[in-house]
Amino acid sequence: AGLSISKVDKSLTFSDKINGYKNAYSASTTNEEIKKVRQDGGIVTALLEFLLKKKLVDAIVAVKHADDLWKPEPVIVDDVKDLYKTGGTKYANASTLAIIDQAKKYENIAVVGTPCMITALKKGSLYPGGLPFFKNIKYTIGLFCMEAFSFENVFNLTGEKFEKNLEEVTKMDISGGKFIISLKSGEVEKVPLKEVKSYARPNCHYCEDLTADYADISVGSIGSPSGWSSVITRSKQGHKIYKDAVKAGLIESKNLKDIKPGLGLLERIAGSKRKGCKPIILEKS
Ligand SMILES: Cc1cc2nc3c(=O)[nH]c(=O)nc-3n(C[C@H](O)[C@H](O)[C@H](O)COP(=O)(O)OP(=O)(O)OC[C@H]3O[C@@H](n4cnc5c(N)ncnc54)[C@H](O)[C@@H]3O)c2cc1C
Ligand code: SF4
């Protein structure tokens, strides 16, 4: 049903791999402070800062490191000065949806999340069941996601595959078919992604959505060079804030079709996630 929602909107390009979209870009923040905390192009943080500063939202729901480093902690941020603490990817899944109701005092909010979270929010907004906390979600920013891990398994894979402690790790990344960690020592170590697949959450093996099909804007690294993000604008309001942030000089933006490996690689990997995921078989009761 969700895919057909985008199919009937003639203003969108429809792809069975990355769903409907207005346009796709490769982009990088121009803000030197965001560059220090970003995962890829810093586009998520740049857009959130734009939304808060322009008062298009009163608060955002994002994820920072908990006191246990690399443990994700969902947070509600209503002051730009706290935003940069949320930069960078934590590969353990976060319980973002559990704190959404705490943001119901705000009139307008933005939520950042993995594709499964964005789908849940979309369903909640289509079938609200009287719940007040979906109505104030004005923008969703979806992150591309191949898989996530429990915090316990982030700890385990760092120890078992890299023989390192989490405190030594300054950045984790999934790129070019490798799971990559950067260390305080300056070293960078990689293992093939297929070697860490068994650490992923079992639910993720059933997930077909790479690019957050139902977000207003989707952001990830696949398709763009290092230090840049691939950005898919989907809804009218998502496309507008992206273009406005580019116009304001906060983001350097190129068309993803003009970038190598670009949209072709993104569609290929998104298609293989859809085709390759395990089927969900519902048993009749
Ligand atoms: C679990 C996970 C798996 C991912 N897998 C892929 C992948 O396979 N391929 C790919 O191209 N991209 C993947 N991404 C997205 C990628 O890592 C970057 O988040 C994305 O490119 C945005 O980069 P940025 O520099 O614009 O973000 P930044 O400006 O650094 O902002 C990062 C944002 O991510 C949010 N965030 C961090 N961790 C989490 C979390 N656990 N749950 C929810 N939100 C979080 C923060 O709140 C912050 O707003 C994944 C992200 C996550 C969270
Ligand atoms: S792979 Fe799918 S189910 Fe797993 S965290 Fe990512 S979006 Fe959610």
Side-chain angles (χ1 to χ4, degrees):
L3 289 175
S4 58
I5 289 166
S6 296
K7 261 186 174 169
V8 295
D9 185 341
K10 297 292 177 217
S11 73
L12 300 178
T13 301
F14 181 75
S15 154
D16 58 354
K17 302 175 181 79
I18 63 169
N19 205 19
Y21 63 98
K22 292 225 177 270
N23 212 339
Y25 304 93
S26 185
S28 185
T29 177
T30 56
N31 179 321
E32 293 303 322
E33 292 307 305
I34 295 179
K35 285 182 186 175
K36 290 179 192 162
V37 297
R38 68 183 177 179
Q39 182 71 17
D40 297 307
I43 297 306
V44 176
T45 307
L47 288 171
L48 295 174
E49 183 170 56
F50 181 75
L51 288 173
L52 279 172
K53 281 191 170 166
K54 290 283 173 193
K55 301 203 183 316
L56 295 168
V57 298
D58 315 303
I60 58 125
V61 182
V63 176
K64 65 172 188 171
H65 286 278
D67 290 339
D68 279 339
L69 197 59
W70 295 107
K71 189 171 192 175
E73 182 178 319
V75 278
I76 297 168
V77 177
D78 59 8
D79 192 327
V80 176
K81 76 173 171 31
D82 297 323
L83 187 62
Y84 293 179
K85 292 177 198 149
T86 65
T89 300
K90 300 94 198 163
Y91 279 96
N93 62 299
S95 52
T96 301
L97 298 185
I99 68 159
I100 299 272
D101 70 319
Q102 293 169 31
K104 61 176 178 259
K105 66 176 177 180
Y106 297 101
E107 208 171 318
N108 299 307
I109 65 167
V111 181
V112 185
T114 48
C116 52
M117 293 178 200
I118 303 296
T119 302
L121 294 176
K122 187 65 168 180
K123 284 183 179 170
S125 69
L126 290 173
Y127 313 106
L131 295 172
F133 48 83
F134 290 113
K135 295 197 175 81
N136 63 352
I137 301 174
K138 294 298 182 283
Y139 299 93
T140 54
I141 300 185
L143 306 170
F144 297 1
C145 182
M146 207 61 184
E147 63 260 296
F149 307 84
S150 63
F151 176 61
E152 189 188 3
N153 270 356
V154 170
F155 176 87
N156 290 339
L157 83 85
T158 308
E160 291 165 15
K161 290 288 165 191
F162 295 98
E163 296 179 358
K164 301 289 179 225
N165 296 318
L166 283 177
E167 299 76 51
E168 296 173 72
V169 179
T170 56
K171 185 170 180 178
M172 294 187 191
D173 202 4
I174 293 178
S175 179
K178 301 271 194 303
F179 192 96
I180 304 164
I181 59 168
S182 305
L183 299 166
K184 279 184 182 158
S185 63
E187 288 164 291
V188 176
E189 298 195 5
K190 306 176 182 187
V191 297
L193 195 51
K194 58 179 183 306
E195 285 188 24
V196 305
K197 285 269 177 205
S198 61
Y199 292 86
R201 297 162 67 227
N203 329 30
C204 297
H205 300 308
Y206 295 86
C207 174
E208 60 153 5
D209 185 355
L210 176 75
T211 62
D213 291 341
Y214 306 113
D216 290 309
I217 302 178
S218 302
V219 186
S221 62
I222 297 173
S224 285
S226 174
W228 289 69
S229 294
S230 296
V231 182
I232 303 171
T233 60
R234 299 185 188 277
S235 67
K236 198 172 161 194
Q237 74 269 25
H239 188 70
K240 179 169 173 15
I241 58 144
Y242 179 76
K243 296 297 277 183
D244 287 350
V246 172
K247 210 183 283 172
L250 306 174
I251 291 171
E252 189 183 348
S253 178
K254 301 173 182 178
N255 204 317
L256 192 57
K257 283 192 180 132
D258 301 332
I259 298 293
K260 293 237 176 307
L263 195 56
L265 181 72
L266 180 56
E267 292 226 52
R268 216 162 46 243
I269 295 180
S272 66
K273 186 174 181 191
R274 279 219 211 286
K275 271 202 189 130
C277 67
K278 289 184 182 172
I280 298 171
I281 299 164
L282 298 174
E283 284 179 17
K284 284 187 186 155
S285 56

